Amino acid sequence: METMSTNLFSIANILSFLRLGLVPVLVWLAASGAGVLFLWVLGISLISDALDGYLARKLNQTSEFGAKLDSWGDALTYAVMILALYFLWPDIFSDQSVFLLMATLSFLVPLVVAVVKFGNYPSYHTLGAKIAALLIAPAYYLLIILDADILFRLVILFYLIVAIEEIFITYLLRHPKTNISSAWALIKEQRNHSKRN
């Protein structure tokens, strides 16, 4: 019981809870038209996202619960980022609508595939997903502040590649699993397991 309590209130999980708690604040700011404040609060949310995974590994506080909590935080924060474009920057939303649709599909399709196969939310946290998560923040701010969309579009295309890899990982897995660095790493792990058995 003590271990579960310790895991639940680890520093990494507290940061993920913070990010989840900021989601309704971000929705309210977007709906209220407070663009500048939205960007500041979003920055805090994105920084907490960068820190939670790093701290979980550094402090040896990784857990399946923490991985899923982080994934929910990511999904809801990205959804709010799209919603904010609709409310606060409708011209950008319109100009990037095809890429925003691709971004939405790159989340929904791997989710549906994993739910159909395993009945739960996939939390693979691949290297590709981590790189994409680091790149989306500067891409989003450049898009809004400087109206520069090249990096944003490239990151969304990269998210599609990440989504394809996640679908492939779901296909390879026999049981649900979290924190898989890549499809290649999973294939090697499965080969090694087969050799031992």
Side-chain angles (χ1 to χ4, degrees):
M1 190 74 165
E2 188 179 338
T3 306
M4 184 176 173
S5 174
T6 304
N7 286 341
L8 184 63
F9 296 108
S10 68
I11 293 172
N13 286 354
I14 289 169
L15 287 171
S16 292
F17 281 125
L18 168 69
R19 198 156 83 260
L20 285 167
L22 287 176
V23 167
V25 176
L26 288 166
V27 171
W28 180 77
L29 290 171
S32 301
V36 173
L37 193 51
F38 173 87
L39 290 176
W40 279 105
V41 176
L42 177 64
I44 293 167
S45 176
L46 294 173
I47 289 167
S48 75
D49 182 30
L51 285 174
D52 65 359
Y54 171 78
L55 289 172
R57 289 184 298 276
K58 192 81 173 170
L59 301 173
N60 198 24
Q61 295 177 341
T62 57
S63 67
E64 188 169 330
F65 174 78
K68 290 186 181 299
L69 192 64
D70 183 50
S71 291
W72 278 111
D74 290 345
L76 292 172
T77 301
Y78 297 152
V80 170
M81 288 166 73
I82 293 174
L83 184 71
L85 290 177
Y86 177 79
F87 279 121
L88 296 168
W89 300 282
D91 290 344
I92 295 175
F93 182 89
S94 178
D95 290 345
Q96 306 302 324
S97 57
V98 172
F99 287 88
L100 294 172
L101 176 62
M102 286 192 284
T104 305
L105 291 175
S106 72
F107 165 73
L108 287 178
V109 175
L111 172 63
V112 169
V113 170
V115 167
V116 167
K117 184 168 183 179
F118 298 124
N120 66 11
Y121 189 100
S123 299
Y124 300 141
H125 298 284
T126 62
L127 178 61
K130 289 174 185 174
I131 292 169
L134 283 174
L135 292 174
I136 195 64
Y140 190 80
Y141 281 82
L142 285 171
L143 175 67
I144 291 168
I145 295 168
L146 299 179
D147 198 26
D149 65 2
I150 293 172
L151 181 60
F152 181 79
R153 292 182 174 197
L154 288 173
V155 172
I156 298 305
L157 292 174
F158 185 62
Y159 264 111
L160 288 179
I161 296 168
V162 170
I164 292 166
E165 182 184 36
E166 289 184 348
I167 292 166
F168 186 52
I169 287 171
T170 301
Y171 170 77
L172 291 172
L173 288 172
R174 293 186 185 91
H175 307 285
K177 188 177 177 182
T178 58
N179 297 322
I180 299 168
S181 61
S182 68
W184 177 244
L186 178 61
I187 290 168
K188 287 200 321 190
E189 181 186 311
Q190 289 179 337
R191 281 180 182 165
N192 291 337
H193 183 72
S194 297
K195 286 176 185 175
R196 286 195 301 269
N197 296 333

